[in-house]
Amino acid sequence: MANHKSAAKKARRDAEARLRNRSNRSTLKTAVKKFLAVVAEGNKAEAAKLLPETQGLVDKACRKGVMHKNAADRTKSRLAAKVNHLA
């Protein structure tokens, strides 16, 4: 429990930010899983269509502070590599 007014406000702001971050992270993870499922099927056309959307969500998560810039870049690179390796 916060002992100061400013600490109570910080706790409230942290709780709201935690919910926002969880929502953004969940949306991102769902999109990546959907993309990976399409790649596992071997559907290159569908995967190529989903790639920019998924990479956009990764960029958005990075902008929002949910993901580190290097982690976002690494994720986008790996997603692109998966599409490129499809026959």
Side-chain angles (χ1 to χ4, degrees):
M1 187 67 195
N3 291 321
H4 297 282
K5 191 175 179 182
S6 61
K9 181 177 180 180
K10 174 81 167 107
R12 287 194 309 271
R13 289 174 57 217
D14 286 349
E16 291 168 5
R18 191 165 27 260
L19 288 175
R20 262 195 316 272
N21 288 340
R22 188 181 340 173
S23 174
N24 286 332
R25 195 176 304 115
S26 174
T27 302
L28 174 64
K29 286 171 74 173
T30 302
V32 169
K33 285 179 187 177
K34 182 179 174 185
F35 174 82
L36 292 176
V38 170
V39 169
E41 291 173 2
N43 190 345
K44 185 167 185 167
E46 184 69 21
K49 192 182 101 179
L50 282 176
L51 181 63
E53 298 171 17
T54 308
Q55 287 180 331
L57 286 171
V58 172
D59 284 333
K60 183 177 180 181
C62 181
R63 279 195 311 272
K64 301 280 185 186
V66 173
M67 195 175 206
H68 189 273
K69 182 185 183 311
N70 291 349
D73 290 344
R74 182 173 62 246
T75 302
K76 292 188 317 184
S77 176
R78 288 177 179 172
L79 294 176
K82 287 186 185 298
V83 172
N84 291 336
H85 284 104
L86 285 176

mmCIF file of all heavy atoms in Angstrom, residues 12-26 66:
data_model
loop_
_atom_site.group_PDB
_atom_site.id
_atom_site.type_symbol
_atom_site.label_atom_id
_atom_site.label_comp_id
_atom_site.label_asym_id
_atom_site.label_seq_id
_atom_site.Cartn_x
_atom_site.Cartn_y
_atom_site.Cartn_z
ATOM 1 N N ARG A 12 -1.503 3.625 -9.451
ATOM 2 C CA ARG A 12 -2.665 3.623 -10.360
ATOM 3 C C ARG A 12 -2.216 3.650 -11.811
ATOM 4 O O ARG A 12 -2.741 2.913 -12.649
ATOM 5 C CB ARG A 12 -3.561 4.838 -10.080
ATOM 6 C CG ARG A 12 -4.372 4.762 -8.815
ATOM 7 C CD ARG A 12 -5.467 5.822 -8.775
ATOM 8 N NE ARG A 12 -5.003 7.177 -9.040
ATOM 9 C CZ ARG A 12 -4.557 8.032 -8.112
ATOM 10 N NH1 ARG A 12 -4.504 7.666 -6.849
ATOM 11 N NH2 ARG A 12 -4.185 9.255 -8.446
ATOM 12 N N ARG A 13 -1.260 4.509 -12.107
ATOM 13 C CA ARG A 13 -0.762 4.621 -13.479
ATOM 14 C C ARG A 13 -0.107 3.316 -13.925
ATOM 15 O O ARG A 13 -0.267 2.894 -15.079
ATOM 16 C CB ARG A 13 0.232 5.770 -13.589
ATOM 17 C CG ARG A 13 -0.425 7.138 -13.468
ATOM 18 C CD ARG A 13 0.577 8.262 -13.427
ATOM 19 N NE ARG A 13 1.415 8.248 -14.592
ATOM 20 C CZ ARG A 13 2.721 8.554 -14.594
ATOM 21 N NH1 ARG A 13 3.321 8.873 -13.476
ATOM 22 N NH2 ARG A 13 3.414 8.537 -15.699
ATOM 23 N N ASP A 14 0.636 2.682 -13.021
ATOM 24 C CA ASP A 14 1.286 1.406 -13.350
ATOM 25 C C ASP A 14 0.258 0.321 -13.659
ATOM 26 O O ASP A 14 0.455 -0.490 -14.570
ATOM 27 C CB ASP A 14 2.183 0.947 -12.206
ATOM 28 C CG ASP A 14 3.466 1.756 -12.100
ATOM 29 O OD1 ASP A 14 3.760 2.523 -13.036
ATOM 30 O OD2 ASP A 14 4.163 1.632 -11.079
ATOM 31 N N ALA A 15 -0.831 0.314 -12.895
ATOM 32 C CA ALA A 15 -1.875 -0.695 -13.115
ATOM 33 C C ALA A 15 -2.518 -0.501 -14.483
ATOM 34 O O ALA A 15 -2.768 -1.473 -15.211
ATOM 35 C CB ALA A 15 -2.926 -0.606 -12.013
ATOM 36 N N GLU A 16 -2.776 0.752 -14.862
ATOM 37 C CA GLU A 16 -3.372 1.036 -16.174
ATOM 38 C C GLU A 16 -2.398 0.666 -17.297
ATOM 39 O O GLU A 16 -2.799 0.073 -18.309
ATOM 40 C CB GLU A 16 -3.750 2.514 -16.269
ATOM 41 C CG GLU A 16 -4.896 2.908 -15.370
ATOM 42 C CD GLU A 16 -5.084 4.412 -15.260
ATOM 43 O OE1 GLU A 16 -4.373 5.154 -15.959
ATOM 44 O OE2 GLU A 16 -5.936 4.828 -14.464
ATOM 45 N N ALA A 17 -1.131 1.011 -17.105
ATOM 46 C CA ALA A 17 -0.120 0.694 -18.121
ATOM 47 C C ALA A 17 0.042 -0.814 -18.261
ATOM 48 O O ALA A 17 0.225 -1.323 -19.371
ATOM 49 C CB ALA A 17 1.219 1.334 -17.758
ATOM 50 N N ARG A 18 -0.036 -1.534 -17.137
ATOM 51 C CA ARG A 18 0.095 -2.992 -17.178
ATOM 52 C C ARG A 18 -1.019 -3.604 -18.028
ATOM 53 O O ARG A 18 -0.774 -4.508 -18.829
ATOM 54 C CB ARG A 18 0.060 -3.540 -15.750
ATOM 55 C CG ARG A 18 0.432 -4.978 -15.634
ATOM 56 C CD ARG A 18 0.758 -5.462 -14.221
ATOM 57 N NE ARG A 18 0.132 -4.745 -13.124
ATOM 58 C CZ ARG A 18 0.734 -3.791 -12.382
ATOM 59 N NH1 ARG A 18 1.982 -3.442 -12.628
ATOM 60 N NH2 ARG A 18 0.096 -3.208 -11.394
ATOM 61 N N LEU A 19 -2.235 -3.086 -17.876
ATOM 62 C CA LEU A 19 -3.355 -3.591 -18.681
ATOM 63 C C LEU A 19 -3.148 -3.283 -20.162
ATOM 64 O O LEU A 19 -3.403 -4.125 -21.026
ATOM 65 C CB LEU A 19 -4.671 -2.983 -18.201
ATOM 66 C CG LEU A 19 -5.177 -3.492 -16.864
ATOM 67 C CD1 LEU A 19 -6.432 -2.726 -16.449
ATOM 68 C CD2 LEU A 19 -5.454 -4.970 -16.914
ATOM 69 N N ARG A 20 -2.692 -2.055 -20.461
ATOM 70 C CA ARG A 20 -2.432 -1.673 -21.853
ATOM 71 C C ARG A 20 -1.353 -2.566 -22.450
ATOM 72 O O ARG A 20 -1.494 -3.077 -23.571
ATOM 73 C CB ARG A 20 -1.977 -0.218 -21.931
ATOM 74 C CG ARG A 20 -3.062 0.763 -22.273
ATOM 75 C CD ARG A 20 -2.504 2.100 -22.689
ATOM 76 N NE ARG A 20 -1.426 2.582 -21.843
ATOM 77 C CZ ARG A 20 -1.580 3.310 -20.743
ATOM 78 N NH1 ARG A 20 -2.782 3.638 -20.330
ATOM 79 N NH2 ARG A 20 -0.528 3.711 -20.062
ATOM 80 N N ASN A 21 -0.261 -2.763 -21.696
ATOM 81 C CA ASN A 21 0.846 -3.585 -22.194
ATOM 82 C C ASN A 21 0.411 -5.026 -22.412
ATOM 83 O O ASN A 21 0.791 -5.655 -23.400
ATOM 84 C CB ASN A 21 2.022 -3.542 -21.215
ATOM 85 C CG ASN A 21 2.724 -2.206 -21.225
ATOM 86 O OD1 ASN A 21 2.602 -1.435 -22.163
ATOM 87 N ND2 ASN A 21 3.434 -1.924 -20.156
ATOM 88 N N ARG A 22 -0.400 -5.549 -21.487
ATOM 89 C CA ARG A 22 -0.866 -6.929 -21.622
ATOM 90 C C ARG A 22 -1.730 -7.082 -22.873
ATOM 91 O O ARG A 22 -1.614 -8.061 -23.600
ATOM 92 C CB ARG A 22 -1.662 -7.339 -20.385
ATOM 93 C CG ARG A 22 -1.997 -8.805 -20.407
ATOM 94 C CD ARG A 22 -2.804 -9.303 -19.246
ATOM 95 N NE ARG A 22 -2.790 -8.474 -18.066
ATOM 96 C CZ ARG A 22 -3.549 -8.707 -17.004
ATOM 97 N NH1 ARG A 22 -4.360 -9.736 -16.991
ATOM 98 N NH2 ARG A 22 -3.507 -7.923 -15.964
ATOM 99 N N SER A 23 -2.575 -6.088 -23.126
ATOM 100 C CA SER A 23 -3.429 -6.127 -24.307
ATOM 101 C C SER A 23 -2.591 -6.103 -25.584
ATOM 102 O O SER A 23 -2.816 -6.899 -26.508
ATOM 103 C CB SER A 23 -4.392 -4.944 -24.288
ATOM 104 O OG SER A 23 -5.115 -4.881 -25.475
ATOM 105 N N ASN A 24 -1.627 -5.188 -25.641
ATOM 106 C CA ASN A 24 -0.762 -5.099 -26.826
ATOM 107 C C ASN A 24 0.043 -6.377 -27.023
ATOM 108 O O ASN A 24 0.197 -6.867 -28.144
ATOM 109 C CB ASN A 24 0.198 -3.911 -26.696
ATOM 110 C CG ASN A 24 -0.505 -2.588 -26.900
ATOM 111 O OD1 ASN A 24 -1.501 -2.511 -27.603
ATOM 112 N ND2 ASN A 24 0.004 -1.545 -26.268
ATOM 113 N N ARG A 25 0.574 -6.923 -25.937
ATOM 114 C CA ARG A 25 1.378 -8.152 -26.013
ATOM 115 C C ARG A 25 0.511 -9.318 -26.479
ATOM 116 O O ARG A 25 0.935 -10.138 -27.294
ATOM 117 C CB ARG A 25 1.994 -8.447 -24.643
ATOM 118 C CG ARG A 25 3.093 -9.458 -24.677
ATOM 119 C CD ARG A 25 3.756 -9.650 -23.323
ATOM 120 N NE ARG A 25 4.266 -8.412 -22.766
ATOM 121 C CZ ARG A 25 3.804 -7.846 -21.641
ATOM 122 N NH1 ARG A 25 2.844 -8.399 -20.961
ATOM 123 N NH2 ARG A 25 4.334 -6.718 -21.205
ATOM 124 N N SER A 26 -0.718 -9.386 -25.980
ATOM 125 C CA SER A 26 -1.624 -10.469 -26.352
ATOM 126 C C SER A 26 -1.975 -10.397 -27.837
ATOM 127 O O SER A 26 -1.966 -11.417 -28.535
ATOM 128 C CB SER A 26 -2.889 -10.392 -25.501
ATOM 129 O OG SER A 26 -3.819 -11.342 -25.929
ATOM 130 N N VAL A 66 6.344 -2.022 -25.381
ATOM 131 C CA VAL A 66 6.056 -3.385 -24.938
ATOM 132 C C VAL A 66 7.222 -4.298 -25.276
ATOM 133 O O VAL A 66 7.477 -5.286 -24.598
ATOM 134 C CB VAL A 66 4.756 -3.887 -25.618
ATOM 135 C CG1 VAL A 66 4.502 -5.343 -25.325
ATOM 136 C CG2 VAL A 66 3.578 -3.046 -25.169
#
